[in-house]
């Protein structure tokens, strides 16, 4: 089992280093520093509350589902971060590029990625066009977390899975 874990960690570090160290560019720095905040608490809470309170029809329902999914999704995130305290990559991997004032709490799973998927997935159920527009946004938030040196790929994968599962559950139970 340890050989498998070692192999996975090696390849995850290679993927992290490729995204964080090999594709660095000034334009990408600015883009990812902006897009990462789409998954932040302020934006996600505001967006889902505004939809739940002021939108109509399917958008209002999706806003309510997003609020519920966002609240529920962060329970497992908080528990996992305490149970599996993983240092952020910029603290471990040499030559990691990171943003100004990087977070210092634990890395696994990504809260930003969890938030963006938990809020956007209910909106994606509205129509295929919305899905086509919002899925790339959610994926770019996850990628931004790696690019900025704040998360490993598995942190973002776990966050996207937690966010998606809680969102699908919210859609299924609140409809």
């Amino acid at each position: 089992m340890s050989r498998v874990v070692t192999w996975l960690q090696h390849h995850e570090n290679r993927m992290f280093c490729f995204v964080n160290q090999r594709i660095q560019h000034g334009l990408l720095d600015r883009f990812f520093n902006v897009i990462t905040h789409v998954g932040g608490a302020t934006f996600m809470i505001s967006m889902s509350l505004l939809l739940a309170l002021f939108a109509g029809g399917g958008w209002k329902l999706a806003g309510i589902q997003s609020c519920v999914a966002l609240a529920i999704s962060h329970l497992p995130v908080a528990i996992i971060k305490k149970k599996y305290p993983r240092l952020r990559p910029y603290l471990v991997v040499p030559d990691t590029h990171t943003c100004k004032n990087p977070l210092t709490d634990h890395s696994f799973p990504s809260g930003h990625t969890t938030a963006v998927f938990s809020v956007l997935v209910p909106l994606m159920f509205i129509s295929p066009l919305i899905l086509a527009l919002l899925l790339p946004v959610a994926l770019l938030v996850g990628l931004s977390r790696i690019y900025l040196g704040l998360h490993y790929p598995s942190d973002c994968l776990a966050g996207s899975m937690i966010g998606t599962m809680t969102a699908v559950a919210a859609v299924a139970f609140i409809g």
Side-chain angles (χ1 to χ4, degrees):
M1 181 68 166
S2 67
R3 290 180 67 198
V4 172
V5 171
T6 302
W7 183 87
L8 287 171
Q9 286 175 332
H10 170 72
H11 287 295
E12 178 171 53
N13 280 340
R14 288 184 62 204
M15 286 190 324
F16 171 79
C17 289
F18 177 78
V19 172
N20 180 263
Q21 297 169 359
R22 298 283 304 262
I23 62 171
Q24 289 292 317
H25 190 276
L27 242 161
L28 290 174
D29 292 350
R30 288 190 288 282
F31 174 74
F32 283 127
N33 270 301
V34 170
I35 197 83
T36 200
H37 292 295
V38 170
T42 303
F43 190 85
M44 288 290 95
I45 292 168
S46 300
M47 186 175 118
S48 53
L49 279 175
L50 285 171
L51 286 170
L53 295 173
F54 301 113
W59 290 98
K60 182 177 193 72
L61 178 59
I64 293 167
Q65 294 164 338
S66 293
C67 286
V68 170
L70 182 60
I72 292 171
S73 70
H74 277 69
L75 296 173
V77 168
I79 292 167
I80 294 168
K81 279 189 186 255
K82 284 189 189 288
K83 189 153 176 74
Y84 301 101
R86 184 182 200 184
L87 291 175
R88 292 190 180 267
Y90 77 88
L91 297 170
V92 178
V93 180
D95 302 319
T96 296
H97 299 281
T98 192
C99 58
K100 296 176 190 165
N101 305 318
L103 299 170
T104 56
D105 64 334
H106 299 300
S107 174
F108 184 81
S110 168
H112 280 69
T113 309
T114 301
V116 76
F117 275 88
S118 68
V119 170
L120 296 186
V121 166
L123 303 176
M124 292 179 199
F125 277 93
I126 293 174
S127 81
L129 176 61
I130 300 299
L131 170 68
L133 294 172
L134 294 182
L135 184 57
V137 172
L139 293 171
L140 284 169
V141 168
L143 184 62
S144 76
R145 307 305 289 166
I146 301 164
Y147 183 88
L148 296 172
L150 301 170
H151 287 287
Y152 293 99
S154 62
D155 300 343
C156 297
L157 179 62
S160 68
M161 291 171 60
I162 293 167
T164 299
M165 287 188 294
T166 56
V168 169
V171 168
F173 289 112
I174 304 168

